[in-house]
Amino acid sequence: MTAATTAPVRDEDDDRAPESGDPFDQDRLPTPPGATGTLLRSLLAPMRGRVAVTALLLLLQQAAVQAGPLLVAYAIDRAVPAFRGDDNGPLTAVAVGYLLCAVAAGALQYAFVTASARVSQDVLLDLRGRIFRHAQELSVDFHERYTSGRLISRSTTDVESLRELLEEGLQELVMVILSAVYISVLLLWLDLGLGAVAVASFVPLYLLVRSYRRRAARVYRKRSTAIAAVIVKFVETMNGIRPVRAFRREAANDADFAVLNRRHERTNGDALLEMARYVVGSRVTANTTVALIVLWGAYRVADGSLELGVLAAAVLYLRRLYDPIDRLGMFLNSYQSAAASLEKIAGLLAQTPSVPEPASPRELPERRSGLPGREVVFDDVRFAYRTGGEVLPRFDLTLPAGQTVAVVGSTGAGKSTLAKLLARFYDPTDGRVLLDGVDLRDLPGRGLRREVVMVTQEAFLFSGTVAENIALGRPDATRAEIEQAAKEIGAHDFIAALPDGYDTDVRKRGGRISAGQRQLVSFARALLADPAVLILDEATSSLDVPGERAVQRAMATVLKGRTAVVIAHRLSTVEIADRVLVMERGRIVEDGSPSELIDRTGRFADLHRAWRDSLA
Ligand SMILES: Nc1ncnc2c1ncn2[C@@H]1O[C@H](COP(=O)(O)OP(=O)(O)O)[C@@H](O)[C@H]1O
Ligand SMILES: [Mg+2]
């Protein structure tokens, strides 16, 4: 997330620059070859039958529509002469036939549009669900690389462009192509010469469409990058609105945003320009062809080698053929951007979690009675993030079940990394993390989440009531159990004082609940979840000092009966630990009980002395 907020915004159009040079593209997920096709097939597979019915409806509808000019030709060349000869049968037949075709075409079109709308709505529903579920299941390290703004862009802009194609473009595109085939065949059958001229006009039109598609593809890719950049900037600024205000970043953000907004505007302009070029080209081609056919046809009617009705039908067909060609450009646009969107979505969906579920999961042995908690072992662990050097070089650590361990050390020492490995947000690069002898990689995700709970400084509250937020740790908890947990933590009084007590909505990110209170709520949540291993990563940092004694009590309550890792920011919390680890650069440099370490002459003794002096 930080990468994009601090990345410089560049304002030049860089056709030649590699894509990775774009600050918003640097973490582009390469879509594996074939992933887009696989996605499309898997979306359509469940509705194969309905797709077939839809296609059949379209074939019939086009047959009914294209019968019209043929009937006109028949009327002019046969029925009208017959009518002059006092036989009104053929003309009546033509009129009735024309009417029937028109009614049938209308009814079939209605059926087709309805059927295809149902198919596309189901496809979109499925796709939105898949994006959400998949993104939620991807590992933490994915979300650290792929910003939430980009995820939002996938599930809004990209799904939206697919929706546009499916709802507006695709049906028309298929209709246009299908009618072009029908009309070509009919024209060739009516008159080989005229048909050949019409078919020949497809060559320049095809070249025009091809060059337009190529140019539009480039413009559209740029445009979708530009739109994504605008969204990313917007979401990140608003997510970070407090620091934005605190550091008076508004003006700088305005300037950055203006640049992105302009870039978006310019790409839009480019897209429209390409469109205009295409429309002009296609109209000139179409009108030239019609003029040629009328001219040549008139000569041939004059010398008797062509019937008038056939010429009339040919001109009617040509109009039908060329009319939608302007719009074809538009459909191709939405097709183009939808294809690009689908590709990006496929890239996202093709991501596999870097912390995969075990192929053959193992169950943990029953939690031992008498000895609460579980034993934690870091066995020869090494760890490096995707970027940067090794954070934990060869790390060995055994935490006996039920022990409370405080971890201290300077910022960047690797304390949070240790916690994240234990909660399996990441897997070690090398070595194993064991819970009661079982590798975390062999535990099913659900089971692991029950066993290991991490409370962090953020103390995130989800939208919903306070009670729901506490119950998150154990969804089947009763109200009495929820209140009991809050009481034990010392959160009951402030919750009871909220407007609706436990039913108070914490929306707006707990805006009405202070950071310290949020931490108490997340303590109550952890207590209710009753995990075997609890990790507190600077989880008391927002609790105010006057509440110190209450904090100590809350800590003692929540830590009792489990293995606990307390990453402590303040040394007062260390005193309740059985054991203290001092970490530096990914290594444990001191290890002992608090009193032992205070008596020694190490880092911890220094820290402790400094802290005591600061209290005096
Ligand atoms: N997601 C990440 N990607 C790359 N490097 C990271 C990431 N998180 C932390 N680091 C690096 O790992 C080292 C240890 O960080 P961390 O475990 O958060 O330290 P602590 O919690 O002790 O302050 C630091 O050098 C930090 O820059
Ligand atoms: Mg940390």
Side-chain angles (χ1 to χ4, degrees), residues 92-105:
T92 314
V94 165
V96 170
Y98 202 92
L99 199 68
L100 282 180
C101 280
V103 170

Side-chain angles (χ1 to χ4, degrees), residues 450-472:
R450 249 195 332 268
E451 296 289 340
V452 182
V453 164
M454 174 145 102
V455 179
T456 64
Q457 196 172 3
E458 297 163 315
F460 187 81
L461 297 188
F462 295 91
S463 60
T465 66
V466 175
E468 281 164 0
N469 265 286
I470 295 176
L472 219 61

Side-chain angles (χ1 to χ4, degrees), residues 311-328:
L311 179 60
V315 171
L316 283 176
Y317 276 131
L318 286 175
R319 280 261 67 91
R320 288 189 175 190
L321 189 60
Y322 294 134
D323 266 357
I325 275 183
D326 288 0
R327 283 180 295 145
L328 186 65

Side-chain angles (χ1 to χ4, degrees), residues 494-569:
F494 97 79
I495 297 173
L498 289 171
D500 298 319
Y502 281 83
D503 294 318
T504 306
D505 204 308
V506 299
R507 228 175 291 130
K508 294 184 192 156
R509 290 194 162 187
R512 282 183 280 168
I513 296 180
S514 79
Q517 290 170 336
R518 283 211 304 273
Q519 287 194 330
L520 287 180
V521 169
S522 50
F523 272 29
R525 182 192 288 165
L527 184 66
L528 195 61
D530 188 27
V533 177
L534 179 66
I535 308 162
L536 304 182
D537 189 353
E538 315 222 325
T540 56
S541 53
S542 299
L543 297 172
D544 17 279
V545 183
E548 201 86 86
R549 194 158 291 280
V551 175
Q552 299 286 330
R553 255 204 318 275
M555 292 270 286
T557 308
V558 81
L559 299 179
K560 204 170 64 197
R562 59 193 104 251
T563 312
V565 176
V566 182
I567 298 174
H569 161 78

Side-chain angles (χ1 to χ4, degrees), residues 231-461:
I231 294 179
V232 167
K233 184 74 194 170
F234 196 95
V235 169
E236 291 190 346
T237 306
M238 299 315 154
N239 272 346
I241 192 70
R242 288 185 191 87
V244 164
R245 286 276 159 74
F247 292 99
R248 309 211 175 286
R249 288 281 304 163
E250 295 95 330
N253 277 340
D254 277 350
D256 285 357
F257 194 77
V259 167
L260 295 174
N261 221 0
R262 256 200 312 278
R263 188 165 84 171
H264 177 207
E265 180 209 16
R266 206 168 36 237
T267 54
N268 264 336
D270 290 349
L272 285 173
L273 197 67
E274 289 301 334
M275 179 77 187
R277 285 199 187 120
Y278 166 78
V279 168
V280 169
S282 68
R283 288 214 179 138
V284 167
T285 311
N287 290 333
T288 311
T289 315
V290 174
L292 281 176
I293 283 184
V294 169
L295 201 64
W296 186 43
Y299 270 112
R300 289 182 46 203
V301 171
D303 72 16
S305 64
L306 185 70
E307 287 179 288
L308 184 61
V310 172
L311 179 60
V315 171
L316 283 176
Y317 276 131
L318 286 175
R319 280 261 67 91
R320 288 189 175 190
L321 189 60
Y322 294 134
D323 266 357
I325 275 183
D326 288 0
R327 283 180 295 145
L328 186 65
M330 223 146 52
F331 309 149
L332 283 175
N333 275 348
S334 56
Y335 171 80
Q336 202 82 252
S337 62
S341 292
L342 191 66
E343 190 185 325
K344 282 193 235 159
I345 292 173
L348 172 64
L349 293 179
Q351 289 287 305
T352 49
S354 59
V355 180
E357 282 286 305
S360 46
R362 281 182 61 184
E363 290 298 321
L364 276 174
E366 279 295 299
R367 224 152 123 184
R368 277 168 279 174
S369 60
L371 244 192
R374 290 189 190 276
E375 181 197 57
V376 170
V377 174
F378 281 76
D379 175 23
D380 208 8
V381 165
R382 287 157 158 254
F383 181 73
Y385 288 99
R386 199 175 276 264
T387 54
E390 199 159 63
V391 177
L392 296 184
R394 299 190 63 92
F395 193 87
D396 280 297
L397 176 67
T398 301
L399 307 179
Q403 191 172 63
T404 297
V405 189
V407 183
V408 297
S410 46
T411 304
K415 305 181 297 293
S416 295
T417 305
L418 181 73
K420 287 188 271 186
L421 285 171
L422 180 50
R424 204 183 174 218
F425 286 1
Y426 300 87
D427 279 334
T429 320
D430 204 12
R432 303 178 301 166
V433 181
L434 307 167
L435 195 62
D436 265 358
V438 179
D439 193 325
L440 294 188
R441 277 175 286 220
D442 293 333
L443 288 175
R446 262 171 198 287
L448 179 65
R449 296 287 155 245
R450 249 195 332 268
E451 296 289 340
V452 182
V453 164
M454 174 145 102
V455 179
T456 64
Q457 196 172 3
E458 297 163 315
F460 187 81
L461 297 188

Side-chain angles (χ1 to χ4, degrees), residues 84-143:
R84 283 204 188 104
D86 265 356
D87 177 9
N88 59 8
L91 200 58
T92 314
V94 165
V96 170
Y98 202 92
L99 199 68
L100 282 180
C101 280
V103 170
L108 286 164
Q109 172 143 14
Y110 178 79
F112 164 71
V113 169
T114 319
S116 67
R118 285 218 186 95
V119 168
S120 40
Q121 289 312 320
D122 285 353
V123 165
L124 291 171
L125 182 76
D126 185 8
L127 197 60
R128 288 197 188 96
R130 283 192 205 198
I131 295 173
F132 182 80
R133 281 195 303 274
H134 193 77
Q136 188 172 240
E137 264 155 35
L138 284 171
S139 316
V140 173
D141 84 307
F142 168 83
H143 291 281

